[in-house]
Amino acid sequence: AGKVSKVGKSKTLGKHVVITHSDGLKTTYGNCSSISVKKGQKIKKGAVIAKAGSTGSAKSPQCHFGVQKDSVSVWEKPGEMHLTQGQDS
């Protein structure tokens, strides 16, 4: 659960979403083909926020996932979360 703090587009992450959680963590989901949420929206655990895609620097459909605490990356796996269900064809 958390609140959407950013919906954006960049050269590397392509279309991406950042969610701020109540414990201070921020999670980033990048390389999305489409985004289903808006900045400021509160979301619940398990909500669909985006579909995997190949925007930004991604060469194939994937989801870049990162976790930050106090603006410091504590876990990041670019392109490691390859999805097969729910992605755009």
Side-chain angles (χ1 to χ4, degrees):
K3 187 175 182 179
V4 178
S5 53
K6 181 179 180 184
V7 174
K9 187 175 181 182
S10 74
K11 198 172 193 176
T12 305
L13 285 177
K15 295 178 185 178
H16 60 278
V17 176
V18 178
I19 297 174
T20 301
H21 303 271
S22 60
D23 59 4
L25 290 178
K26 288 186 178 184
T27 50
T28 302
Y29 305 84
N31 306 121
C32 306
S33 65
S34 63
I35 296 174
S36 308
V37 294
K38 295 181 182 191
K39 183 177 179 180
Q41 182 177 342
K42 292 181 181 179
I43 58 167
K44 295 181 179 181
K45 181 180 178 180
V48 174
I49 58 170
K51 290 186 178 181
S54 53
T55 62
S57 61
K59 302 294 184 218
S60 62
Q62 60 188 19
C63 178
H64 171 102
F65 177 70
V67 180
Q68 289 185 323
K69 177 72 172 174
D70 300 322
S71 299
V72 176
S73 183
V74 294
W75 194 83
E76 191 166 356
K77 290 291 182 184
E80 290 288 318
M81 296 178 66
H82 293 273
L83 306 177
T84 55
Q85 293 183 332
Q87 68 189 29
D88 287 345
S89 300

